[in-house]
Amino acid sequence: MGGQYRITGDKYPRMRRSRRRGRLVLMMIASVAVLGVGGWGTLQLIDVFTGGGKQASAAGSKAACASKASPSASASTSTDAAVPKPAQITVNVFNATPRSGLAKSTADELKKRGFKIGDVGNASAQWDKKVKGTGVLLGPAASLDTSLPVLATQLTGAERRTEATRKGATVDLIIGTAFKNLTARAAADKALATLSGPAAPTASASPKACS
């Protein structure tokens, strides 16, 4: 290429990026940022004038109050029926063991502890020498949750039974072969106090806390 135009020296012309394109990109980014801030500010203004935030917080507090107020405020009793006192219970004491004198000594001790005593003597053939545990507490169906639990505080481990056809309110204490003594007086009194005491009421929310 031997033309008359030749490039001499060590400097060559260089291509430069258009500054206009860079400015256009910056302007687009700035516009998006402005629109985003403006939209967020608009939403905040809407919430302020419409009270949306207060409504949400009020709904949350009402839901919390409803959840706290759900437990019942009524107190529950230990049994459906009122537990009678020992003085209201008549006990027949029968000895189903070969040892003599147990029925009378046991009846005397129950009398000291406030129980009324009915019949005292040897057990019938149905029970004689057939009670392997400490004893059997026997009564009518109505005594299952009333008289029998009270009498059971005096003889730990005794079996409780009821007879559907039995009439009246008297209950039997049939002494078994494993019997040694009645439950110690202090322990029996403590068990009786626990049985007769009212149950603690369930927790409930105060109406004023949700006003």
Side-chain angles (χ1 to χ4, degrees):
M1 297 179 61
Q4 59 180 346
Y5 298 103
R6 293 185 179 181
I7 299 174
T8 61
D10 56 355
K11 296 183 179 180
Y12 298 90
R14 298 181 179 179
M15 300 299 292
R16 296 183 178 178
R17 296 181 179 178
S18 175
R19 294 182 178 179
R20 183 175 301 174
R21 181 177 299 177
R23 292 177 180 176
L24 181 60
V25 172
L26 290 175
M27 291 178 63
M28 291 179 63
I29 294 174
S31 299
V32 171
V34 171
L35 290 175
V37 173
W40 180 82
T42 302
L43 290 176
Q44 294 299 316
L45 289 175
I46 292 175
D47 286 342
V48 170
F49 287 106
T50 59
K54 293 182 179 180
Q55 291 177 357
S57 61
S61 61
K62 289 181 179 180
C65 290
S67 63
K68 292 179 181 179
S70 57
S72 174
S74 61
S76 60
T77 56
S78 57
T79 57
D80 293 336
V83 177
K85 296 180 180 180
Q88 299 173 305
I89 302 173
T90 300
V91 184
N92 300 323
V93 183
F94 300 117
N95 184 10
T97 76
R99 293 174 288 169
S100 61
L102 282 181
K104 185 178 185 307
S105 62
T106 302
D108 290 343
E109 181 60 26
L110 287 175
K111 186 176 182 179
K112 292 178 183 178
R113 299 185 183 189
F115 290 87
K116 291 182 178 181
I117 303 301
D119 297 333
V120 178
N122 294 325
S124 63
Q126 177 186 357
W127 300 102
D128 189 30
K129 300 179 182 63
K130 296 178 182 178
V131 180
K132 303 301 181 182
T134 58
V136 172
L137 309 182
L138 183 66
S143 68
L144 182 61
D145 295 324
T146 55
S147 301
L148 290 186
V150 175
L151 184 57
T153 62
Q154 310 302 311
L155 184 57
T156 304
E159 181 183 357
R160 306 179 199 179
R161 293 189 184 184
T162 59
E163 292 177 328
T165 58
R166 183 163 177 165
K167 304 298 181 181
T170 302
V171 294
D172 299 342
L173 190 161
I174 305 172
I175 301 172
T177 55
F179 177 87
K180 293 182 179 180
N181 294 294
L182 291 174
T183 302
R185 181 71 178 268
D189 289 346
K190 183 177 180 180
L192 185 59
T194 301
L195 182 67
S196 303
T202 56
S204 60
S206 174
K208 294 182 180 179
C210 298
S211 59

